[in-house]
Structures are given as C-alpha cells and as structure tokens.
Amino acid sequence: MPRVKRGNHRLKKRKRVLARAKGYYIAKSKLYRYAKEAVNRADQFAYIGRKLRKRDFRRLWITRISAAARSHDINYSQFMRGLKDAGIDLNRKMLADIAVRDPDAFGQLAERAKQARAQRAAGSA
C-alpha cells in the first residue's frame, strides 16, 4: 500500500480546528491536540443544549398557560382537554403567546374549553 502524504489537507483541517478554538484558555487555543479535544467537547455541549432548550421552552409555555388558565377558574389539564374536545388545535407555544399578549382572547378560549368539558360530561352521563 502506497504511503499517503496529507500535506494541504492536514494543514486545512488543523487550521479549521484552531479557528474554532479561538478564545479558549491557554493551550486549548494554541495546540492542535488540546484544541481538538476542546472543540469536540464544545460540540457535545452544544448538541445537548439544543435538546435542553426545547425542553425548557415547553416547560415555560406550560407554566404560562397554567397560570392564565387558573385565572379563569380552570386548571391546565382540564383546559387542554377542553380545547381538544372543542376541536381547537393550537400548540402550546401559540397558547402561551396568546395568554401573555391577549388575555381577552385567552379568556374566550377558556370559556370554550369549559363549555366543551360540560358538554362532554353531560353526554357521558
């Protein structure tokens, strides 16, 4: 098997890694071996962070919806079930935005959810 001399490819790869490690502490920004480790670790944290951000925002939306629903005398789970029964298909992000920006519209949604829950209870009884 012939010997491979990497030449430019190796230089480009190292340059790219060191550029991504710019600003890191001491050797991690200067030496390729340590820069590579630091960049890989940073990539892992970034990947995990993207997953956590989705989780955190969903928790925030649920908290906002719950607080707004409680101000209309209905709890979160009953509110969401009522919306489903009423055929209102809004995601949590939109509901939280409505709860913050337009409380009157959220109140109307809460009333629709209560009516749908009452109809469902009357229909099953």
Side-chain angles (χ1 to χ4, degrees):
M1 182 176 280
R3 191 181 87 166
V4 176
K5 295 173 65 178
R6 292 186 56 93
N8 291 342
H9 296 291
R10 176 174 55 184
L11 291 175
K12 277 190 217 172
K13 183 179 177 185
R14 288 181 178 212
K15 203 170 184 181
R16 194 165 44 239
V17 169
L18 287 170
R20 289 189 61 199
K22 189 174 180 180
Y24 288 5
Y25 192 66
I26 305 178
K28 291 178 187 174
S29 66
K30 308 276 189 286
L31 305 177
Y32 174 71
R33 178 188 294 181
Y34 301 120
K36 185 171 66 168
E37 291 173 1
V39 166
N40 285 341
R41 187 170 161 85
D43 285 346
Q44 289 175 341
F45 282 123
Y47 177 82
I48 292 167
R50 287 193 295 274
K51 306 303 169 193
L52 290 176
R53 183 175 54 207
K54 293 170 180 62
R55 188 184 310 169
D56 291 342
F57 269 105
R58 185 179 169 96
R59 285 179 62 195
L60 174 68
W61 298 330
I62 289 172
T63 303
R64 287 180 176 173
I65 294 166
S66 180
R70 285 186 187 279
S71 70
H72 293 284
D73 300 324
I74 185 171
N75 67 22
Y76 172 79
S77 62
Q78 291 173 349
F79 175 73
M80 294 305 283
R81 180 60 197 215
L83 288 182
K84 187 173 181 178
D85 290 342
I88 299 171
D89 189 29
L90 286 172
N91 62 21
R92 285 165 182 80
K93 181 178 178 180
M94 293 296 110
L95 286 171
D97 192 47
I98 291 169
V100 170
R101 293 175 191 253
D102 193 0
D104 296 331
F106 191 85
Q108 293 173 359
L109 288 172
E111 288 304 316
R112 293 273 301 272
K114 286 181 194 176
Q115 290 171 1
R117 295 277 299 156
Q119 287 177 355
R120 187 166 184 263
S124 64

